[in-house]
Amino acid sequence: MTERTMGDFAFPSGGGGASDDAPVYVISVAATLAGMHPQTLRQYDRLGLVSPGRTPGRGRRYSARDIEMLRQVQRLSQDEGINLAGVKRILELESHVDALRSRLSELVAELEATRAEIVRREAQVHQSYRRDLVPVDPGAMVVWRPQPPTTGR
């Protein structure tokens, strides 16, 4: 098992642990991990930039993926100077690209399966051909030409 570091914290990754999508961190821990104030996380949630999971009591629970997203939002807005509306659009487009890549993978797999089925059916058709035909020597071919009618007898 390896460890990933987030700020001053190390998280186990790989076998048996929670997935990156598991909403496990309360807002104060997520804010510390992301290097932000909890109010910033609430604002990002209101704007739809990062939408954490919710408990039955409506408390926010952030996943490791949410924390990475918070850091990306912070990097884009602070380091790149992009306003939050622009950041939201970038995140939406990245999500759309990911969905398109996933769909492309599905279609490629379907295409490969269809091609394999075509090859299988083509082989099946070729096996059904009759093999009792007699080969013809092209040099022994006779061409029939009609004779002109004879006149008079």
Side-chain angles (χ1 to χ4, degrees):
M1 178 158 57
T2 62
E3 289 192 353
R4 289 183 298 144
T5 58
M6 291 184 169
D8 295 332
F9 299 90
F11 298 94
S13 63
S19 78
D20 284 348
D21 293 322
V24 292
Y25 305 108
V26 295
I27 193 167
S28 59
V29 173
T32 301
L33 293 174
M36 300 176 180
H37 191 278
Q39 195 58 39
T40 304
L41 276 63
R42 290 183 188 96
Q43 179 67 21
Y44 287 176
D45 186 13
R46 277 192 294 277
L47 295 173
L49 293 171
V50 178
S51 298
R54 298 285 184 156
T55 65
R58 301 288 300 143
R60 293 174 176 88
R61 292 294 184 268
Y62 290 84
S63 68
R65 190 176 313 276
D66 292 332
I67 293 167
E68 287 299 319
M69 186 74 74
L70 289 167
R71 289 179 171 181
Q72 184 179 12
V73 170
Q74 185 177 37
R75 184 187 59 77
L76 287 170
S77 65
Q78 291 180 0
D79 298 346
E80 304 295 329
I82 300 171
N83 66 26
L84 293 180
V87 170
K88 184 175 182 179
R89 184 66 179 143
I90 288 170
L91 295 177
E92 288 170 351
L93 291 172
E94 285 178 349
S95 175
H96 188 67
V97 167
D98 289 343
L100 289 173
R101 283 187 179 129
S102 176
R103 180 64 178 139
L104 177 62
S105 295
E106 292 171 8
L107 290 172
V108 166
E110 185 179 332
L111 178 62
E112 289 172 357
T114 302
R115 284 181 175 162
E117 178 65 13
I118 288 171
V119 167
R120 187 191 66 77
R121 287 184 183 188
E122 187 177 59
Q124 191 177 25
V125 167
H126 287 305
Q127 287 176 347
S128 71
Y129 291 160
R130 290 183 55 188
R131 304 282 187 223
D132 59 349
L133 298 176
V134 178
V136 176
D137 179 13
M141 192 176 295
V142 177
V143 178
W144 178 80
R145 292 195 178 105
Q147 294 289 327
T150 57
T151 56
R153 215 201 226 254

